[in-house]
Amino acid sequence: MHVCKLVAPILLGLLLTTAAAAQTGPDAGTGAAPESASARTAGTKKSRKKSAAKSSKKTASKKRKRKKARVAAPVAPAPVEAVKVPEDHEPPILTHTPVITAKKGIPFTIAVNAADQSGVVGPTLYLRKKGAPASDYVSMRMSAAGPPGEYALEVPAALVSVDALEYYIEAWDEHGNGPARVGSPDNPLAVSVEQEKKVVIAPPPVAPAAVVIAEPKGATPASAPTTVLQATREQPLESATSAIVAAPAPKKPIEPPSGETLIGLGIDAGFPGGGGLSLLVRPLWWLRLNGGLAYNYVGLGYRGGISLAPCFCVVTPTLNLDAGHYVNGDWNKVSNVTDPNAHALLSRVSYTFATAQLGLEFGSQRWFNFYLRGGLAYFETGFSGSDLTSLAQGKIASDPSTTYKVGDGKLKSLAPCVSLGANTLGY
Amino acid sequence: MRTPYSILLASVAACYAQVEDGSVAVTHSLCTPSTSACIPGGRIPITTFNYGGNNTFTMNLGDVPFLQSSSSAGPVTLQTNLGLNKASFDILTSGADFKGITQVQLLRAPRASTGAGDEVCPPSANCPVVALYKQSTDGVADQQIVLKSQVPNLIDLVDQTNHNIVFEVTVQGTAPQPTLWDASFTMDLALSARAGLP
């Protein structure tokens, strides 16, 4: 009984201290994981718990007080503030105002206050793309900024290219106590990356709750900082951050321009395809259909085709596929044959063609542009067998006992082609 | 930068122009038009036909530039093929047939025969066989004898100076029944000429 009377005040004091620590746990103030926070706090209070376990009633009382403290903690992320730790076997105390949002492509700063009576081994920021595996965390040493204990790091724009980031901060003291953390690998703090310019920072707390984040003393104090140093030293930031940067910088999506025009006219001339006038229709912003009349000096024809224009640029590359048919052209306009049979053969030449061309269009895809194209053209023309028979009989057969009968002939050609033209779209 | 050049070169190399005609039929009457029948018949051995001067004829292809197997103009090469689809004899005399004919050879002769007894393709001349009919393998002919081509390209047989091909026909068997008979000889050719980069 005497012993009990002597121990009772001591146990009561320990109980009150434990309850106070539970009230300021990480899940109460910083939004960090309750489990990890509990684990950390559990380490610091291990010896006290041993004492407290001697009295189940007192332990129950302590749990009730801790639960009460959790319920009373604010839900919104709130800055944390240092609490003085009297002895140097405690890890640093981190005070941090979480960054909640950032603007895509704009650097932003994460700051932390790290206090320890024996000095802090530079706080390290661990950053990753939201949802990425734990191995993708990128470590970045935070620099001293301003007053003693204040550390900050500007997250480069290249890393702010994803939709959301996650981070936690870790620090050790000179004696290897730690790590003290804000957030944790399993339960990091989230930063929403938005398109807006505004960077929203959590408002300063009215009554910041003090949190002591501590790890059990002696748990490989030097290993974690060494890892951080190696990661920082051996991997340049660019490569170390590949996991985040690898998510490609968001390409500007190809979007249909507003107010696009759908119908227009095109005019062109080229070799050997001749020239023409076409009606243009754009059913999709990147696809143009054309159809119209063609003229090649010796005759008229018709044609149609498609053009793929993958952007609305000042200079737009295009792929153009066309086909058409010229009917009964008189090629004697461009030849000087005197043989009447050959003249007859050339007087009614029709041919079919198809072209595949790459081009560049200069100007507006919406209103007016002109272009230069080059590619290959396939031509196929037929010759009447009767005309060929007449030609052969008259030109070749000098022996009256020899007669010729020639079937329909065909001329095929694959040749380079070029064309110039202009398009105007107005509706 | 190499890729666009490669595409450009490949595109140019792919360019060509080609003329083709699948059927050019040249028909030659063995007798002159003024004579309805001129070849001795009567079921006699056909040696008379072989040595009567009627067994050679000349086919003129005209002065056409592409009637050479290969020619070049700068980097462009012109290649011509004149294939023989088939050759045939068609009987023109009523009541006559080729049932007694056991073999017909169409030979490319060095020159035309000048008359009876002028054999332009003796065995020593090594005249190439252009087409061949054998009753034992091709069946008994009646009104028409079809000879199968034995050469892939007739262009090589064209005389480049006068653009002629001279053929000699040698026949084995017995002549048709009529005392005099006539037939026509037809060669069905396929012409193809292609100009392009080699």
Side-chain angles (χ1 to χ4, degrees):
Chain A
M1 283 300 293
H2 294 290
V3 175
C4 289
K5 285 180 180 178
L6 287 173
V7 172
I10 298 172
L11 290 177
L12 183 58
L14 288 173
L15 185 60
L16 291 173
T17 305
T18 304
Q23 191 175 16
T24 57
D27 52 339
T30 64
E35 295 164 352
S36 58
S38 299
R40 287 192 294 271
T41 54
T44 62
K45 295 184 275 296
K46 187 177 179 182
S47 60
R48 296 165 191 168
K49 278 188 176 179
K50 284 180 180 177
S51 301
K54 294 178 181 178
S55 171
S56 62
K57 289 182 180 180
K58 289 178 181 178
T59 302
S61 173
K62 182 175 70 176
K63 287 182 178 176
R64 282 194 299 275
K65 287 183 179 181
R66 182 181 294 175
K67 184 176 179 182
K68 188 175 180 181
R70 286 198 183 109
V71 171
V75 176
V80 293
E81 188 174 304
V83 171
K84 288 185 179 180
V85 179
E87 297 178 9
D88 194 22
H89 52 74
E90 295 295 334
I93 300 165
L94 302 180
T95 306
H96 171 63
T97 302
V99 176
I100 297 173
T101 61
K103 182 184 178 291
K104 187 167 285 188
I106 303 296
F108 67 98
T109 300
I110 294 177
V112 68
N113 180 278
D116 190 277
Q117 61 186 17
S118 60
V120 175
V121 176
T124 302
L125 173 72
Y126 291 86
L127 185 69
R128 71 176 181 185
K129 179 184 177 182
K130 186 176 183 181
S135 58
D136 283 358
Y137 274 115
V138 176
S139 62
M140 290 177 281
R141 182 68 64 87
M142 303 180 76
S143 306
E150 292 293 335
Y151 296 86
L153 182 135
E154 184 181 78
V155 178
L159 299 182
V160 198
S161 60
V162 295
D163 293 334
L165 294 165
E166 292 175 333
Y167 71 95
Y168 66 95
I169 301 169
E170 189 176 273
W172 302 68
D173 70 7
E174 296 289 353
H175 291 131
N177 295 315
R181 285 175 172 158
V182 174
S184 70
D186 295 332
N187 200 353
L189 306 179
V191 180
S192 173
V193 179
E194 300 172 347
Q195 293 288 355
E196 289 78 22
K197 292 182 180 179
K198 187 172 62 177
V199 176
V200 179
I201 299 176
V206 177
V211 178
V212 176
I213 306 168
E215 288 289 335
K217 184 178 180 181
T220 61
S223 62
T226 302
T227 303
V228 172
L229 287 173
Q230 286 176 343
T232 309
R233 189 181 304 127
E234 295 176 4
Q235 285 186 291
L237 182 60
E238 288 77 13
S239 76
T241 58
S242 60
I244 293 178
V245 178
K251 292 181 179 177
K252 198 170 185 179
I254 299 175
E255 297 173 351
S258 59
E260 66 178 293
T261 47
L262 301 177
I263 296 176
L265 288 175
I267 187 169
D268 68 278
F271 178 82
L277 181 67
S278 301
L279 176 68
L280 307 176
V281 178
R282 185 155 51 198
L284 300 170
W285 69 267
W286 48 268
L287 173 66
R288 234 176 21 230
L289 308 179
N290 72 79
L293 296 175
Y295 179 71
N296 64 357
Y297 181 66
V298 297
L300 283 171
Y302 51 88
R303 67 182 182 188
I306 63 172
S307 295
L308 305 181
C311 75
F312 269 45
C313 310
V314 175
V315 179
T316 303
T318 61
L319 170 64
N320 312 276
L321 305 173
D322 295 274
H325 183 75
Y326 278 96
V327 291
N328 291 336
D330 183 3
W331 284 83
N332 291 302
K333 291 180 179 178
V334 293
S335 71
N336 55 358
V337 296
T338 54
D339 185 300
N341 292 313
H343 196 276
L345 182 69
L346 295 178
S347 65
R348 299 182 303 276
V349 176
S350 62
Y351 68 88
T352 302
F353 68 92
T355 62
Q357 298 182 97
L358 295 174
L360 290 176
E361 297 189 348
F362 305 88
S364 167
Q365 289 292 312
R366 185 171 295 132
W367 303 115
F368 176 82
N369 62 66
F370 62 96
Y371 59 79
L372 172 64
R373 295 173 185 167
L376 291 176
Y378 174 79
F379 299 90
E380 184 173 312
T381 183
F383 296 101
S384 155
S386 60
D387 287 343
L388 289 172
T389 298
S390 300
L391 180 65
Q393 197 71 46
K395 188 177 179 64
I396 298 174
S398 56
D399 181 356
S401 62
T402 301
T403 57
Y404 289 79
K405 183 178 182 182
V406 183
D408 291 344
K410 190 179 290 183
L411 170 63
K412 298 189 291 188
S413 176
L414 184 66
C417 64
V418 294
S419 61
L420 291 166
N423 297 322
T424 178
L425 293 110
Y427 177 75
Chain B
M1 283 300 292
R2 289 183 179 180
T3 303
Y5 287 119
S6 301
I7 294 173
L8 186 62
L9 287 175
S11 302
V12 172
C15 293
Y16 70 92
Q18 180 169 319
V19 176
E20 59 187 34
D21 199 313
S23 175
V24 179
V26 184
T27 301
H28 179 82
S29 294
L30 298 181
C31 299
T32 60
S34 58
T35 330
S36 59
C38 65
I39 307 171
R43 296 294 183 192
I44 61 171
I46 201 113
T47 51
T48 305
F49 175 78
N50 287 343
Y51 298 102
N54 295 311
N55 63 331
T56 65
F57 58 91
T58 301
M59 189 175 74
N60 182 269
L61 297 174
D63 185 9
V64 183
F66 52 71
L67 285 181
Q68 303 175 53
S69 60
S70 179
S71 60
S72 297
V76 178
T77 299
L78 177 68
Q79 290 184 309
T80 305
N81 187 280
L82 187 62
L84 178 62
N85 295 328
K86 69 175 183 178
S88 63
F89 284 93
D90 290 272
I91 201 95
L92 298 177
T93 304
S94 178
D97 61 61
F98 291 128
K99 291 177 181 173
I101 304 297
T102 57
Q103 177 175 300
V104 179
Q105 278 186 319
L106 183 68
L107 307 174
R108 187 259 190 180
R111 60 177 175 82
S113 172
T114 56
D118 181 20
E119 172 55 63
V120 296
C121 272
S124 59
N126 293 322
C127 295
V129 177
V130 176
L132 178 66
Y133 161 77
K134 277 188 174 181
Q135 190 186 64
S136 59
T137 56
D138 299 328
V140 177
D142 188 357
Q143 299 294 301
Q144 184 185 56
I145 295 175
V146 176
L147 287 72
K148 293 179 181 173
S149 175
Q150 303 294 308
V151 292
N153 192 356
L154 287 179
I155 284 293
D156 297 329
L157 306 181
V158 176
D159 186 330
Q160 296 298 325
T161 58
N162 54 22
H163 316 292
N164 288 338
I165 303 179
V166 181
F167 295 104
E168 184 190 82
V169 181
T170 62
V171 184
Q172 293 178 7
T174 55
Q177 179 64 38
T179 307
L180 293 173
W181 57 280
D182 190 13
S184 66
F185 174 68
T186 300
M187 287 194 301
D188 188 17
L189 306 168
L191 174 67
S192 170
R194 180 186 179 100
L197 295 174

